[in-house]
Amino acid sequence: MAMRFKAGGARKAQMCSICLTTHANGGVSLMAAAKAGESRRRGNTVGTYICSDLACSLYARKEKTPALGRQFKGDFDVESRTATLRDNIDAFVGRVLS
């Protein structure tokens, strides 16, 4: 699956839909992927907001912290955060494949 994003998005705080980390000033981008099958041939895409630096796994494991944002589920343990991350990625891929 290839994804694309438009640089220079909104300059306000946004939350990543994958790792649930908030970032200020463009730290989250709308990423889009072409749908599979017939929908792809019709030019349909699906999108989700993802950390612009693609470091969701590092944020989930608390190996990296956002410069001015925060982690929404910071009080949960690493296993819970990584499970949420996997669930959110699976849901997005499911939307691409449906």
Side-chain angles (χ1 to χ4, degrees):
M1 173 172 67
M3 295 177 57
R4 56 190 155 92
F5 75 100
K6 182 178 179 181
R11 292 292 176 208
K12 59 183 181 180
Q14 292 178 304
M15 181 184 288
C16 173
S17 299
I18 302 298
C19 66
L20 305 179
T21 300
T22 57
H23 295 271
N25 300 326
V28 173
S29 298
L30 177 62
M31 307 266 183
K35 288 197 52 97
E38 181 59 33
S39 290
R40 179 187 192 105
R41 289 185 280 284
R42 291 192 303 253
N44 294 333
T45 61
V46 294
T48 194
Y49 289 94
I50 299 177
C51 296
S52 298
D53 62 4
L54 302 176
C56 293
S57 65
L58 298 177
Y59 292 121
R61 294 190 317 264
K62 289 192 168 187
E63 294 179 14
K64 186 173 184 178
T65 56
L68 297 173
R70 67 179 195 79
Q71 293 174 297
F72 180 68
K73 291 193 171 188
D75 56 337
F76 290 99
D77 59 33
V78 172
E79 291 79 23
S80 295
R81 285 192 305 274
T82 56
T84 297
L85 181 137
R86 280 191 303 272
D87 291 344
N88 292 338
I89 289 174
D90 288 346
F92 179 68
V93 171
R95 290 177 39 221
V96 170
L97 297 177
S98 66

